[in-house]
Every structure is written in C-alpha cells, then in structure tokens.
Amino acid sequence: MKRFQALLKSGVPKSAVVGFSVLTTILVTAFLTLHLVSCNSSSPVKQSPPPPPPPGTTGTDVTTYHNDTARTGQNLTETILTPSNFNSASFGKLFVINVDGRVDAQPLYLAQVSIPNQGTHNVLYVATEHGSVYGFDADGGTLLWQVSMLAAGETTSDDHGCGQITPEIGVTSTPVIDPKAGPHGTIYVVAMSKDGSGNYHQRLHALDVTNGTEEFGGPQNIQASFPGTGDNSSGGNVVFAPGQYAERAGLLLLNGVVYTGWTSHCDSRPYTGWVMGFDQSTLAQLSVLNLTPNGNEGSVWMSGAGLAADTSGNIFLLDANGTFDSTLDANGFPSQGDFGNAFLRISTANQKLAVADYFEMFNQGAENGSDEDLGSGGALLLPDFTDSSGQTRHLAVGAGKDSNIYVVDGDAMGKFSPSKNNIYQEIQGGLSGSVFSMPAYFNNTVYYGAVGDTIKAFAISNAQLAGTPGSQTGNAFGYPGATPSISANGTSNAILWAAENSGSAVLHAYDATNLSHELYNSNQASGGRDQFGAGNKFITPMITNGKVYVGTTNGVGVFGLLQ
C-alpha cells in the first residue's frame, strides 16, 4: 500500500488507478509505472525542475560576494555534495533560469523566506545588467518577484563605447543582504541608469527580500566630492560624476554601513578612485574617501571581487593603476594622498574612511606605465596563523597583472621603498598569467586561477605560502582565468568549483585536496545535456543546499544531483 500511495503522490492521475479492485492488480500497475518513470528519468534531455529537496535541507545563507567578508569563497556546511557521490552520471544541470540581461553579479541565497501569498521558499536573488532584481525559488526556478531599478522614463546606461560592461549597464556589482534589516530582511543594490535628458544616475537601493519593495526612503542618489585638485576637480574639490563610473566591486556591509568602490569605463579619463559608505538604515552617505585626490585614475574594480573586511572593522582592497606620490611624508605616506596601484588597509573608525596602512611595489612607476595594475585582482583575508617564532600574523593575499603573489601583514603592510619591496612575503612568478579574479581559501590552502593558467593550490605552513603549488588542475583557464569557490563539510568532502569563460560556459569540479583529480565538468555528459549558456567573465559559482548556481550572459545555470 505504501508503494501505491507513493505512486499517487508522484503525479500519476487517479483515473489511471481508480477501478482496480484487487490489491494484486494495484501492485502490478504500480511496479510497471515505477519502471517506466525510472527509465524516463535517465533521459539526457530532461529539463523539468527537480522535486524539492528532502525535508530539513535548507542550505546555508549566502548573503555576500564569495560567502563572507574575508572573501574566502568557502561554504563549510555543505552536506549533500561530496567527492564520492557525484559524477556526470549522477550530477548535472537541473535547469536554467532565464532573465532579462547579463548576470555579472554573483547570485545570493536565503533559506526559508516567507513570500507574501506564496508560502515559504529557499530564495535565489539575481541581479542583471538590464537593471532588474529577481527573487526565484532556488529549488525549482519559479519566479517569486521581479522589480526594476529604473526610474520612470529611464533606461539602463549605455556602455560608453567600452566593451568591459556591454551592451548595457544596470546592476554590475554583487549586492549584499542583511537578513535582519527592515521588517523581513533587506538586499542592498547599486544600479546605473540614464534619463531622457541624457543624464546618468548611480543609486543605492534597499529592497525587501520578500517582494522587492524599496525600503528606508530609497533609492538614494549617489553624489560625492572630496578635497583635491585631481581629475574633474572644481574649487578645490574632486567631484564624482556618475556617468564616468561603474560600481563593479561587490558591496560590503560592515557594522551597519554599506560600502561601495568605483571604477572607470575602459580607463577613460577624467576619473579617480572612490570608496563611499552609506548608512544601511537611512541610506544617507556617511563617509567618502578618494584614493587619488590630487592625481588621476586609481579605480577600485578588482574584477568584481568584493571589498574585504577584518573583524576589527578594516577594509582591504587592491587599487588599480593611478597616481602614486613617491615623495613620502614623515609617516611614510604619499605626500599628496595618492595611492594608485597599492594594497590598502582602510580604517572605518567612527564610520569615517581613512587609509591606515598600505603596500606599494618598488617598481610602481613601471607597472603603472605598462598597465600592470595590482587592482585587477581581489584581496583575500586569511585566518590568523602563527609563524615559526610563535608570533600571530594577520595576513592578506592579493595578485594582479604581474603574475606575482603578494602576502601582506595587515598590522604592518610595508609601505613604499624605491629600491625594494618591503613586504611580508612575495612569490615572484608564482602564477603563469595575469590575475583578473580572486583566490579562494580552504584548510590552510590558497587557490589561484590566473589567465591561461591552471588553478593552483598553495599550502600555508608557519604563516608562509609555499613557493610552488602542491597540486594544480589538469586544464588551464582562458581569460579572465577563474575565481574558485569551495564547498565542504567542515574540513571534509572539499570540492573546488570553477566556471570557465568560453564560447559555451563550462562548470568544473575538482577534489580540493588534489586538484589533478577532476570530479566533473559540464562538457562530460553526452548530447550537450549540461550546457547552460555562453560564458561570462568574472563569474564565480555559488554553492549551497546541494546545488551550484552559475551566472551567464542571460541567466543562471543550476546544477545538482540528478533525480
């Protein structure tokens, strides 16, 4: 009888079984039907959404870029996906969620959200370059709500003749979610638009996570000025011109403040480097910092990586090519306050932004002149390590276009010397290509995927990165390389995930303890079963609740165990 009840619940019409009066007949019918269902489920072209996950599997919330403010990219509570339970026969594409524009922002996730008149759902949040934000059922792909960030009569921004974000600019950066803000939780989003008079706008939105309605009197128009005589200055102040910038770096929510970083369109001057903070409850601008106020360039973009933050409230970032004042003041800081091409620690004390420390490479002039900026990569904060002398180190790691890996001591970053790099550790030529991505961290290992290079695992011992990788993938990744993500259950069952930006996107999975062991890629199944759209640069996979979500040029590919 239990098998008969299961048959009815599986969707077989009652009319197919009504009228059978003998239990034997019912059991025979159930057996035959279940046999047919089993045969059909192996079809490589099946695209229907899978059934909901088992009761009690809700997954871990993913509320910010690369999982946490240290930007480690690790989810250590993944219990469904393990290296031993999946391959191309058991794991693959479940469905593709189609949206109205490019998905350049990493999708985010909240478990068990009560949606008005639609019940409780695990929700996937997707933002697009068409200026839309969506809430989808994360397990089946059903649309729960959709809102536009465009004001009446507006369009998304054009691409300013720049192919970096094209053909339109709406929401580029990864939003950030505070599940406790507002009545139900809030997702913070920066969007760019253009009005009918040709004026450009940058706005900070705060949306209710259950329906997308604006909160806290939003949206907030983003304007700024800062003392200086650099690009686009007037009357002793550098002025932020919304049309000259894009918000590419993932948003940071830190101690009640939403922080943003700003980049240019194809290095088209005039522009300078901006970081801004906004009150998460009122959206009022609290602080502004310009990183090249008396010079030019020095943007904050990091190939979409989020601004990182430590537990003491410091922000870490890699600044792009721009003016650096090699004449230093008595404290070893640039005399005019210009920090182009630097690894920065920024204080947020009293909700005011200020550069607290920095590292600048000795050959910064040559690297600036040849467009070898450090700012093409993202900063990763490592957990505390003890060095060989017993001293606790607070380390951060970053890399850019020169293929070197830079490890800084967050308490003393090294500042600038014209003759040598005063840095905690530098691995020269540690990578075989430029970095347009950021690393991941798991279990005393840092993982890097440079352009045209394999993904490499660098072990950490005595608070030092190994000079050579302990393992690496068997395949290389073309431009822009790869930003890996890690799923694991504590320190067990670790899988490294990476998206390949090719003509047709490819999702890869590797044993994180031995990258030469590829567990799966989306080209393995026959008949193109797992193909999920065109590749999209700077995309990092997001993993939770047994599923992997990957943004594309027109949607999100969703992968999991096949039913």
Side-chain angles (χ1 to χ4, degrees):
M1 180 60 72
K2 289 182 179 179
R3 293 181 67 185
F4 171 60
Q5 291 172 340
L7 176 64
L8 289 174
K9 291 180 180 179
S10 72
V12 176
K14 277 189 175 183
S15 59
V17 293
V18 171
F20 291 102
S21 57
V22 182
L23 180 60
T24 303
T25 306
I26 293 172
L27 293 174
V28 170
T29 305
F31 172 78
L32 291 173
T33 306
L34 287 171
H35 176 72
L36 289 172
V37 170
S38 175
C39 291
N40 288 338
S41 67
S42 65
S43 169
V45 297
K46 183 177 180 182
Q47 298 298 324
S48 58
T57 60
T58 59
T60 298
D61 291 349
V62 180
T63 60
T64 191
Y65 177 85
H66 232 202
N67 297 76
D68 50 50
T69 58
R71 309 308 184 190
T72 64
Q74 59 182 354
N75 174 6
L76 302 182
T77 60
E78 177 53 52
T79 59
I80 298 175
L81 299 175
T82 70
S84 62
N85 77 353
F86 80 93
N87 50 44
S88 61
S90 61
F91 178 90
K93 182 183 69 178
L94 300 176
F95 52 93
V96 173
I97 298 173
N98 294 313
V99 294
D100 61 8
R102 283 182 176 265
V103 182
D104 285 329
Q106 177 193 299
L108 301 175
Y109 175 96
L110 287 180
Q112 296 295 288
V113 179
S114 180
I115 304 297
N117 303 315
Q118 299 185 72
T120 300
H121 298 260
N122 298 327
V123 181
L124 183 74
Y125 297 91
V126 180
T128 76
E129 293 289 4
H130 198 61
S132 293
V133 179
Y134 295 81
F136 291 102
D137 180 278
D139 302 309
T142 303
L143 176 64
L144 302 172
W145 55 263
Q146 175 187 358
V147 292
S148 175
M149 302 296 95
L150 304 177
E154 290 186 347
T155 64
T156 52
S157 169
D158 56 279
D159 64 11
H160 295 256
C162 172
Q164 292 173 342
I165 308 171
T166 190
E168 59 182 343
I169 306 175
V171 181
T172 304
S173 61
T174 300
V176 65
I177 297 174
D178 185 345
K180 297 181 179 179
H184 310 114
T186 302
I187 180 169
Y188 298 89
V189 181
V190 170
M192 187 176 186
S193 60
K194 186 177 183 180
D195 64 30
S197 299
N199 300 309
Y200 295 95
H201 301 270
Q202 303 279 1
R203 297 189 181 96
L204 174 62
H205 300 258
L207 309 178
D208 188 311
V209 298
T210 68
N211 55 24
T213 57
E214 295 274 2
E215 297 182 314
F216 312 132
Q220 172 75 23
N221 276 295
I222 296 176
Q223 300 174 326
S225 63
F226 190 85
T229 58
D231 268 14
N232 203 45
S233 61
S234 176
N237 287 292
V238 181
V239 179
F240 177 81
Q244 284 297 105
Y245 295 91
E247 215 289 340
R248 174 129 238 170
L251 302 186
L252 169 67
L253 178 59
L254 178 65
N255 297 329
V257 182
V258 178
Y259 291 100
T260 63
W262 300 88
T263 188
S264 66
H265 307 283
C266 286
D267 297 336
S268 178
R269 292 179 59 188
Y271 72 93
T272 50
W274 297 87
V275 180
M276 305 179 195
F278 301 85
D279 188 301
Q280 75 164 113
S281 298
T282 66
L283 307 188
Q285 189 178 86
L286 296 176
S287 185
V288 174
L289 175 65
N290 195 291
L291 302 174
T292 49
N294 294 295
N296 54 72
E297 303 184 338
S299 65
V300 180
W301 67 291
M302 300 187 296
S303 296
L307 306 175
D310 65 16
T311 55
S312 298
N314 295 298
I315 296 173
F316 289 78
L317 62 85
L318 305 180
D319 196 45
N321 278 342
T323 303
F324 177 77
D325 311 318
S326 57
T327 299
L328 308 180
D329 65 18
N331 296 314
F333 282 72
S335 58
Q336 299 298 309
D338 297 318
F339 290 90
N341 218 30
F343 202 144
L344 296 167
R345 174 165 65 88
I346 298 172
S347 169
T348 63
N350 301 315
Q351 298 183 330
K352 298 299 180 184
L353 293 161
V355 176
D357 201 0
Y358 75 99
F359 161 72
E360 182 76 41
M361 58 199 69
F362 79 95
N363 60 336
Q364 56 81 29
E367 295 215 353
N368 269 323
S370 59
D371 192 36
E372 276 194 310
D373 54 309
L374 184 61
S376 62
L380 168 64
L381 305 187
L382 298 174
D384 290 351
F385 286 100
T386 303
D387 66 17
S388 58
S389 66
Q391 181 177 351
T392 299
R393 297 287 186 172
H394 307 106
L395 304 178
V397 60
K401 295 179 185 176
D402 64 8
S403 304
N404 298 334
I405 299 175
Y406 298 95
V407 184
V408 296
D409 183 334
D411 299 325
M413 296 180 70
K415 298 186 173 65
F416 172 71
S417 166
S419 59
K420 65 178 182 177
N421 283 339
N422 293 325
I423 191 171
Y424 177 80
Q425 184 185 10
E426 179 180 356
I427 304 175
Q428 295 187 3
L431 305 169
S432 298
S434 297
V435 170
F436 289 83
S437 57
M438 77 165 296
Y441 169 83
F442 169 75
N443 197 26
N444 302 327
T445 306
V446 171
Y447 301 86
Y448 258 109
V451 177
D453 199 1
T454 59
I455 297 177
K456 296 176 176 177
F458 295 87
I460 302 172
S461 178
N462 294 326
Q464 292 272 327
L465 264 69
T468 57
S471 69
Q472 55 191 302
T473 60
N475 61 294
F477 288 75
Y479 176 82
T483 292
S485 296
I486 304 287
S487 65
N489 185 6
T491 58
S492 303
N493 296 326
I495 302 169
L496 181 141
W497 303 87
E500 185 178 348
N501 176 38
S502 53
S504 179
V506 184
L507 174 66
H508 295 263
Y510 307 90
D511 181 343
T513 64
N514 179 7
L515 295 181
S516 67
H517 181 201
E518 184 173 34
L519 303 169
Y520 164 86
N521 74 65
S522 56
N523 279 343
Q524 290 174 338
S526 62
R529 183 197 70 188
D530 292 345
Q531 292 184 1
F532 60 103
N536 204 20
K537 65 181 182 180
F538 307 150
I539 286 299
T540 178
M542 186 272 283
I543 308 97
T544 188
N545 198 29
K547 293 183 177 63
V548 183
Y549 302 89
V550 190
T552 72
T553 56
N554 58 6
V556 177
V558 183
F559 293 77
L561 296 176
L562 302 173
Q563 301 295 321

